[in-house]
């Protein structure tokens, strides 16, 4: 009649010795039939040691990997480290959320990086970092409502900052 539920536990030792930073502590693999066999993983989740263990001190990280279309091996996509920082596209997240991606996330061009927040079904807030053809880099905050983009703030690598308002 305990309030606790069932537990699925992995145990790891180095032949009776303490584990070391980087050691694999256990993993879950999804390996569906690809028409040849069940050997190619589609996705994995790995638990690893993320620092130096000590007595009752076990720093850990979780690594989430997926296999790209046409690929044969998973690539790390997301990591949560022992500090609680999450990295998307990076193995070294420095903050609560670190995103590192080459190419585009929210636009059709290959020279921008950004993300969007969608608080309403009809509008978005975008934060973009864009590299122009002349090597200039800009950071912009813009909104999108019912088919219209509005630039709110833009900072260009030439130290120019613009603020724009609608109406």
């Amino acid at each position: 009649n305990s309030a606790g539920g069932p537990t699925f536990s992995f145990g790891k030792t180095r032949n009776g010795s303490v584990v070391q930073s980087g050691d694999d502590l256990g993993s879950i693999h999804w390996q569906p039939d690809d028409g040849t066999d069940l050997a190619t993983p589609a996705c994995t989740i790995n638990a690893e040691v993320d620092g130096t263990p000590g007595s009752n001190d076990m720093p850990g990280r979780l690594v989430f990997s997926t296999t790209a279309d046409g690929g044969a091996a998973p690539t790390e996509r997301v990591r949560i480290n022992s500090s609680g920082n999450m990295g998307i596209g990076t193995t070294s997240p420095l903050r609560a959320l670190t995103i590192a991606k080459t190419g585009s996330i929210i636009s059709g061009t290959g020279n921008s990086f950004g993300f969007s927040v969608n608080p309403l079904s009809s509008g978005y807030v975008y934060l973009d970092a864009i590299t122009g053809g002349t090597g200039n880099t800009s950071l912009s905050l813009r909104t999108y409502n019912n088919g219209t983009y509005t630039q709110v703030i833009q900072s260009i690598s030439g130290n120019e900052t613009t603020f724009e308002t609608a109406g």
Side-chain angles (χ1 to χ4, degrees):
N1 292 343
S2 170
T7 301
F8 189 70
S9 299
F10 294 89
K12 164 77 175 180
T13 182
R14 285 180 158 251
N15 296 319
S17 296
V18 66
V19 294
Q20 297 175 9
S21 186
D23 279 2
D24 186 358
L25 300 175
S27 58
I28 302 171
H29 293 230
W30 287 266
Q31 297 182 202
D33 189 338
D34 62 6
T36 302
D37 54 28
L38 298 171
T40 306
C43 305
T44 63
I45 301 174
N46 287 39
E48 302 170 353
V49 180
D50 191 36
T52 304
S55 181
N56 295 317
D57 172 25
M58 186 54 59
R61 67 177 167 245
L62 287 175
V63 176
F64 298 82
S65 302
T66 62
T67 302
D69 189 14
T75 300
E76 180 175 329
R77 309 297 183 181
V78 176
R79 174 181 293 226
I80 304 171
N81 68 19
S82 61
S83 297
N85 294 337
M86 178 188 296
I88 300 174
T90 179
T91 59
S92 303
L94 302 174
R95 302 280 184 266
L97 177 60
T98 302
I99 302 172
K101 175 139 174 68
T102 301
S104 173
I105 291 179
I106 63 169
S107 68
T109 62
N111 64 346
S112 69
F113 163 81
F115 66 93
S116 63
V117 178
N118 182 8
L120 305 170
S121 61
S122 62
Y124 295 85
V125 176
Y126 290 103
L127 179 64
D128 295 298
I130 302 169
T131 301
T134 61
N136 288 334
T137 302
S138 69
L139 177 66
S140 67
L141 176 65
R142 55 194 174 114
T143 61
Y144 175 82
N145 287 300
N146 299 317
T148 302
Y149 286 100
T150 303
Q151 193 83 30
V152 180
I153 301 172
Q154 182 174 26
S155 179
I156 302 173
S157 61
N159 296 323
E160 175 185 330
T161 302
T162 59
F163 297 86
E164 299 179 20
T165 60

